[in-house]
Amino acid sequence: NLTAQVPGPGPAAPGAAGEQPGRVPVWLLRLQRGHGGPAAAADGRGGGFPPGGRNLLKTKGTSYFLEREEFCPMENKMLELLKTRRSVRAYKPEQIQAQELDAVLEAGTYAPTGMGMQSPVIVAVQSPSYRRAVMELNQKARGMEGDPYYGAPTIVLVLADPARGTCVEDASCVLCTMMEAAHAVGLASCWIHGEREMFQLPEGKALLREWGLPQDLRGVGSLALGYAAGPLPQPKERKAGYIHKV
């Protein structure tokens, strides 16, 4: 079977039978193989299209039809992920799996960027020596002690081409997208500041040179990435007056 969402005949009229408030009708085009004859496809026998489907075409062994489903925004899993992600500041020492890291990094490459120019550069740091170098660079840039990455075994740096006027916004979108992706695959994360100052320092430019990257890249932010050492923090109450509709 192959399924694709397509523009359908449109939603039923408001108040039509079967309509539920908050639900949006979605029409799906399904291609099914190995059916019986036209009669079987028409009445659902022999694996024909399901009740409520609209038969569009039948050729040898394949039925094409529209099937109506419903989508409720309040039950959408993506919206639930957005609401339940939390910043985590305590991590287990064990390294994350390669496929988990790859999923997060790939998601970051699909973040929106100005004019689709993809100005950011993502650097995943897992080597113990480079992780220590990045940690010490952040400490120096911010004048602080302790691990600014809260013991996370992976650090993901995001820099961007300063020639692009939207470089900061682009990199910020990448960071936010990766945080949500991390939550989706069971990882914890936290946005860490100080990267702009880090890569203005000679030591930061030396790291860029070692990594084969342009030394004029602007650091925007980074993520501590790993497995949470405890339960996720509870969200704060949303402030009054957060939203205005005009």
Side-chain angles (χ1 to χ4, degrees):
N1 296 353
L2 176 65
T3 302
Q5 184 173 331
V6 297
E19 289 297 313
Q20 298 183 36
R23 292 182 179 272
V24 181
V26 174
W27 290 88
L28 302 176
L29 174 63
R30 296 194 189 277
L31 285 64
Q32 294 192 353
R33 300 185 182 279
H35 298 301
D43 66 8
R45 292 182 288 109
F49 64 89
R54 297 191 182 185
N55 195 9
L56 298 182
L57 174 66
K58 182 164 181 68
T59 61
K60 291 182 179 180
T62 304
S63 290
Y64 300 80
F65 61 87
L66 282 175
E67 181 182 359
R68 192 167 184 273
E69 294 186 358
E70 288 185 333
F71 161 72
C72 181
M74 297 308 295
E75 297 174 3
N76 184 272
K77 291 182 179 179
M78 184 62 194
L79 294 179
E80 188 64 22
L81 284 170
L82 291 168
K83 293 177 182 179
T84 56
R85 185 211 63 81
R86 304 262 71 83
S87 294
V88 172
R89 294 174 174 84
Y91 294 86
K92 296 179 180 179
E94 64 186 281
Q95 188 56 271
I96 63 177
Q97 297 182 30
Q99 60 266 35
E100 294 169 333
L101 176 61
D102 290 343
V104 171
L105 298 177
E106 182 182 23
T109 68
Y110 283 90
T113 59
M115 301 296 291
M117 296 301 292
Q118 304 175 47
S119 69
V121 174
I122 304 169
V123 180
V125 181
Q126 290 189 309
S127 156
S129 60
Y130 276 134
R131 191 206 177 282
R132 172 169 290 278
V134 169
M135 179 188 73
E136 291 175 351
L137 186 59
N138 190 291
Q139 291 171 330
K140 180 176 181 179
R142 298 170 67 187
M144 61 179 292
E145 297 181 355
D147 184 356
Y149 300 99
Y150 303 107
T154 295
I155 299 170
V156 181
L157 306 166
V158 181
L159 307 97
D161 179 1
R164 292 294 306 167
T166 58
C167 66
V168 174
E169 292 84 354
D170 294 347
S172 298
C173 286
V174 169
L175 287 157
C176 288
T177 300
M178 290 195 295
M179 286 193 291
E180 299 299 345
H183 182 42
V185 299
L187 299 177
S189 67
C190 186
W191 182 318
I192 308 299
H193 284 297
E195 275 60 35
R196 181 177 183 181
E197 294 79 9
M198 288 166 60
F199 292 99
Q200 290 175 335
L201 294 171
E203 297 93 329
K205 294 190 179 299
L207 281 178
L208 293 177
R209 188 164 54 249
E210 285 185 38
W211 297 338
L213 296 173
Q215 294 180 53
D216 64 343
L217 286 176
R218 173 174 174 170
V220 176
S222 66
L223 297 183
L225 191 65
Y227 301 120
L232 295 182
Q234 290 300 307
K236 298 177 181 178
E237 286 290 326
R238 302 298 92 179
K239 69 178 184 180
Y242 214 140
I243 299 171
H244 296 268
K245 296 180 179 179
V246 297

